[in-house]
Amino acid sequence: MKIIHLGAAVAVALALAACQKPQTANIDGERIAAADANAEWLSYGKGYSEQRFSPLDQVNAGNVGQLGLAWYADFDTDRGQEATPLVVDGVLYTTTTWSKVFAFDAKTGKQLWKFDPKVEGAKGFNACCDVVNRGVALWKGKVYVGTIDGRLIALDAKTGQQVWSVQTTDTSKPYTITGAPRVVKDKVLIGNGGAEYGVRGYITAYDAATGKQAWRFYTVPNPKGAPDGAASDKVMAETVNATWSDGAWKQTGGGGTAWDSMAYDPELDLVYFGIGNGNPWNHKVRSGGKGDNLFLSSILALKPDTGEYVWHYQTTPGESWDYTATQHIILADLNIGGQPRKVLMQAPKNGFFYVIDRANGRLISAKPYTNITWATGVDPKTGRPIENPAARYEKTVTLQVPGPLGAHNWQPMAFNPKTGLVYIPTNVTPFAYTDERAFNYKAGAWNLGVDFLVNALPTDAATMKAVASMIKGQLVAWDPVNQKPVWTVDHPYFWNAGVLSTGGNLVFQGAAHGEFSAYDAANGKKLWSYKTGNGVIAAPMTYELDGEQYVAVMVGVGGAGQLSAPASMPQRPRLPGRLLVFKLGGKATAPAYPAPAEQPPLDLANVSSTGDVQRGFAVFHQNCQVCHGANATGAWLPDLKRSPITASAESWKAVVIDGANATRGMPSFARYISPQDAEAVRAYVISEAKKPAATPEVQGARGSF
Ligand code: CA
């Protein structure tokens, strides 16, 4: 009897321990909605309204100088770390590149489990903007992650074991998933990416318990003109199909991928999605230069139960510049003109800050939040932009801001209801848009209808220096009611990090040069900073545990800015990802990163090619530069000017034509270029390697898109 009693006592003690720290992420819609106002951080943007504001104020403008490292964790992947960690019941969940998921004890940093979806390395080629992942969703004891190869996976929150997995995409097409799923009313919502290559965008809802598909909504028409048997069929037939004309979209799929932003209003029962750019980019090539091409560059409001269409607002009709409206969506209640308004706010790539009535999609106001040249304003009556006629680049090259990286990209903003300000990470990145006169669809490759060659053409040093001086990154504190900046902080480089604001009157943001800083939310004064030793692009988050406030941020530069414009970024090697967690009086120290093994220069005296350098220059900039940098300046993905593969025609052909490095994300290009053209590219790379180094200013202007 005694033994039985003892056993029962142990069982009770274990049950009590489990109650104190259940580690099951057992959350539902009510708890996520409550996180909009309380201190919990349960969904990508904190709660359903995605404000990224925490009322926690233990760390505040008065004491933030005492912030120190509480714990850190190093990861087994490098490249861009874009995730926002979530914390529930003392467990921190985060993701890294290659869609890996980690769970940590949020107090000690002890790793509880990890999950590797084992994405094939070759799938990295399908990711326009790095093999990134922005985080997980939590719901009723499960953790959900989307993977680079298009799967949506449910894990047991306690163990990290896979519960179910669904392939959300056609694996024969270059779809990817980088965004965090959201869960609304027992449905997991997920979109996809791929609109640089040529796919047709859609959003899918899956049953959170089983993974069974509940509904799908296509964002652009079916190229065959047929119904899809999807939730979007009705609005396609009634409104959308007529906004498209004959063009390359029928071959490429049209784009319109929903790769990042979502938000949910439980009262209106509307879920909002940000929709991406067209494919090809060039409106003339895509749709004969005709039509608005819905729902490209739009915000869509749907019913979460059925996917039924409710309203849309298109930021950029006839999109032609990669001006996605996938950027962060924030829901808030603002007092405008003496009236309380339920608004939706977005600062999409096109440079306008939009305040929209989220019940009906009508424009309240829009003003440029940074320098833009493509439009002069937004017509308040029609809600349409007033375009600069030169922006359509059908006849001439147009040097324009913003370029395809946008005046604001995926890096999340934050809205602080106490200051009434939205804190926006902004970029100024010019780009020379040029019509690709002989568009030729290449399945599986980039298909833009834009000639990238012009962005690499040599111009005089003075022009290059002037362009370089335009490139900048800022943190802008924006008054959304009066549509004007209140303060700005200049960063040394563009492509800086996402933002957190807190009840401690603070704004936290990392930067490309590596500092993670806290600013006074009212005036932008820098109050604290920490040198991470690597670039930061991810948004921080904050949580409270056992009476202490923590601030957590993922560290690791990468993503579209680093990949496509490495010469405009700090010159540093790829470093392993790291999670940093701070608290007042934290005394931990993270070790310095291991010294990188620098690739020695090639012995150029013994390297030569009989290829045509001029031909190679053109082929390189049409096929290679988005990963290896304009003018072969890329030093982040392998620097071809120093790669041993460049040393011989045989090793070059083995990789470029025969696909020897396919599992590492460099597939065979035999589908796109001939062996002769491949050798011409090698000849061009060797010619670049033999040139003296350009000045930093001129380097910065190269590849500035
Ligand atoms: Ca894009």
Side-chain angles (χ1 to χ4, degrees):
M1 287 297 283
K2 273 179 187 172
I3 290 164
I4 292 167
H5 276 292
L6 191 60
V10 169
V12 167
L14 284 173
L16 277 173
C19 281
Q20 283 155 4
K21 211 169 205 185
Q23 300 188 357
T24 56
N26 201 11
I27 62 170
D28 57 15
E30 277 183 32
R31 198 163 160 192
I32 296 176
D36 283 327
N38 68 27
E40 291 211 287
W41 200 297
L42 303 179
S43 184
Y44 178 64
K46 192 174 182 298
Y48 281 133
S49 65
E50 306 260 332
Q51 292 186 356
R52 292 181 174 267
F53 169 80
S54 172
L56 292 176
D57 60 2
Q58 184 183 77
V59 180
N60 55 56
N63 63 15
V64 69
Q66 297 159 36
L67 208 55
L69 197 61
W71 58 270
Y72 71 93
D74 282 335
F75 297 109
D76 57 355
T77 49
D78 55 18
R79 302 176 66 165
Q81 305 297 349
E82 297 189 353
T84 303
L86 310 187
V87 175
V88 61
D89 303 332
V91 180
L92 182 151
Y93 301 91
T94 194
T95 62
T96 67
T97 47
W98 296 106
S99 328
K100 296 183 185 184
V101 188
F102 293 78
F104 295 96
D105 182 312
K107 186 167 185 171
T108 65
K110 179 172 177 271
Q111 185 180 303
L112 302 174
W113 54 257
K114 81 175 220 186
F115 172 79
D116 180 356
K118 297 193 164 54
V119 174
E120 274 178 56
K123 296 290 182 186
F125 180 68
N126 293 344
C128 70
C129 306
D130 205 356
V131 288
V132 296
N133 188 281
R134 291 184 206 94
V136 296
L138 303 172
W139 190 264
K140 298 184 179 174
K142 293 189 185 67
V143 179
Y144 302 88
V145 65
T147 63
I148 275 287
D149 55 5
R151 286 172 285 163
L152 178 68
I153 298 175
L155 306 173
D156 183 313
K158 204 185 291 183
T159 63
Q161 296 294 306
Q162 182 173 306
V163 180
W164 55 257
S165 173
V166 290
Q167 184 68 46
T168 73
T169 56
D170 174 348
T171 53
S172 73
K173 301 218 163 86
Y175 283 104
T176 51
I177 298 177
T178 57
R182 315 294 202 278
V183 190
V184 173
K185 299 171 91 174
D186 287 306
K187 291 181 180 61
V188 191
L189 307 171
I190 193 74
N192 43 54
E196 268 58 62
Y197 297 76
V199 296
R200 181 184 179 206
Y202 56 85
I203 299 148
T204 318
Y206 295 92
D207 182 279
T210 64
K212 185 169 179 282
Q213 184 175 319
W215 53 260
R216 177 163 289 178
F217 189 98
Y218 287 92
T219 57
V220 293
N222 184 328
K224 295 192 176 75
D228 294 295
S232 41
D233 280 358
K234 186 162 176 278
V235 73
M236 287 288 156
E238 287 176 358
T239 313
V240 175
N241 290 343
T243 68
W244 290 72
S245 197
D246 275 350
W249 73 275
K250 291 191 172 172
Q251 210 171 8
T252 68
T257 50
W259 53 263
D260 193 53
S261 61
M262 300 181 213
Y264 174 58
D265 182 329
E267 272 179 42
L268 294 169
D269 195 30
L270 291 178
V271 60
Y272 306 96
F273 300 90
I275 310 302
N277 57 278
N279 182 271
W281 287 354
N282 188 334
H283 188 224
K284 189 189 94 178
V285 174
R286 186 177 66 242
S287 181
K290 296 190 187 110
D292 287 349
N293 293 181
L294 293 172
F295 293 109
L296 299 182
S297 307
S298 300
I299 297 158
L300 258 181
L302 307 181
K303 285 283 182 190
D305 290 322
T306 57
E308 181 194 343
Y309 165 88
V310 180
W311 61 254
H312 76 275
Y313 176 85
Q314 189 174 40
T315 62
T316 312
E319 194 284 306
S320 206
W321 309 274
D322 191 17
Y323 285 172
T324 63
T326 50
Q327 280 57 51
H328 185 185
I329 289 170
I330 292 178
L331 311 183
D333 294 341
L334 297 182
N335 194 307
I336 298 175
Q339 298 288 321
R341 302 289 298 267
K342 287 179 181 301
V343 308
L344 177 156
M345 298 185 281
Q346 193 190 46
K349 276 189 185 176
N350 76 12
F352 287 103
F353 190 94
Y354 293 89
V355 180
I356 290 166
D357 183 325
R358 71 173 180 268
N360 55 31
R362 290 201 191 105
L363 179 72
I364 295 172
S365 63
K367 283 281 186 300
Y369 57 87
T370 181
N371 304 342
I372 65 167
T373 61
W374 78 282
T376 55
V378 174
D379 184 321
K381 288 202 188 73
T382 63
R384 297 173 72 91
I386 303 156
E387 281 182 25
N388 175 350
R392 304 261 162 196
Y393 45 92
E394 287 145 26
K395 295 200 176 73
T396 55
V397 179
T398 303
L399 182 68
Q400 181 165 304
V401 282
L405 287 172
H408 168 221
N409 207 296
W410 63 269
Q411 287 88 338
M413 329 184 278
F415 169 67
N416 184 325
K418 292 170 88 174
T419 62
L421 301 176
V422 178
Y423 304 95
I424 317 168
T426 68
N427 298 313
V428 178
T429 53
F431 183 80
Y433 290 92
T434 317
D435 186 26
E436 186 177 51
R437 284 168 206 285
F439 174 76
N440 207 348
Y441 175 58
K442 294 189 280 190
W446 282 47
N447 286 287
L448 305 181
V450 172
D451 187 352
F452 269 36
L453 199 54
V454 72
N455 284 283
L457 286 174
T459 52
D460 65 283
T463 307
M464 297 304 286
K465 201 170 173 179
V467 171
S469 72
M470 291 167 75
I471 300 169
K472 66 176 177 182
Q474 287 187 316
L475 174 61
V476 176
W478 188 260
D479 174 349
V481 174
N482 297 301
Q483 289 278 24
K484 61 175 193 191
V486 173
W487 53 260
T488 58
V489 168
D490 287 329
H491 291 307
Y493 296 89
F494 87 113
W495 201 246
N496 300 293
V499 180
L500 160 72
S501 190
T502 71
N505 193 37
L506 291 170
V507 174
F508 288 91
Q509 190 198 21
H513 67 289
E515 282 191 349
F516 177 54
S517 303
Y519 303 91
D520 186 307
N523 58 32
K525 188 179 170 212
K526 192 196 272 190
L527 301 173
W528 170 84
S529 76
Y530 175 94
K531 288 189 169 57
T532 66
N534 192 352
V536 190
I537 50 176
M541 58 80 68
T542 186
Y543 61 95
E544 184 177 42
L545 194 55
D546 298 338
E548 286 188 296
Q549 184 185 352
Y550 296 81
V551 177
V553 66
M554 296 289 288
V555 174
V557 76
Q562 179 72 45
L563 207 60
S564 59
S568 302
M569 299 290 285
Q571 299 302 299
R572 64 159 65 86
R574 278 158 54 182
L575 297 168
R578 180 173 273 180
L579 168 64
L580 297 176
V581 181
F582 300 89
K583 66 174 183 177
L584 292 176
K587 294 279 189 290
T589 51
Y593 289 100
E598 199 186 357
Q599 189 83 50
L602 294 177
D603 178 8
L604 292 165
N606 293 315
V607 175
S608 63
S609 167
T610 54
D612 178 340
V613 173
Q614 272 308 311
R615 173 75 188 154
F617 170 79
V619 174
F620 178 91
H621 287 93
Q622 283 150 353
N623 293 277
C624 318
Q625 72 153 322
V626 291
C627 287
H628 294 286
N631 298 73
T633 49
W636 197 67
L637 286 191
D639 182 351
L640 300 181
K641 300 194 300 302
R642 290 184 172 217
S643 170
I645 292 159
T646 307
S648 82
E650 291 73 30
S651 55
W652 184 266
K653 179 178 169 288
V655 171
V656 178
I657 297 298
D658 302 336
N661 279 354
T663 57
R664 296 171 59 197
M666 169 61 200
S668 161
F669 270 62
R671 286 179 294 171
Y672 311 124
I673 63 176
S674 67
Q676 291 74 15
D677 278 350
E679 183 58 20
V681 171
R682 191 173 83 92
Y684 164 67
V685 170
I686 293 168
S687 76
E688 284 292 335
K690 288 183 175 173
K691 281 183 189 168
T695 66
E697 291 85 1
V698 172
Q699 274 198 356
R702 301 280 189 203
S704 58
F705 63 93

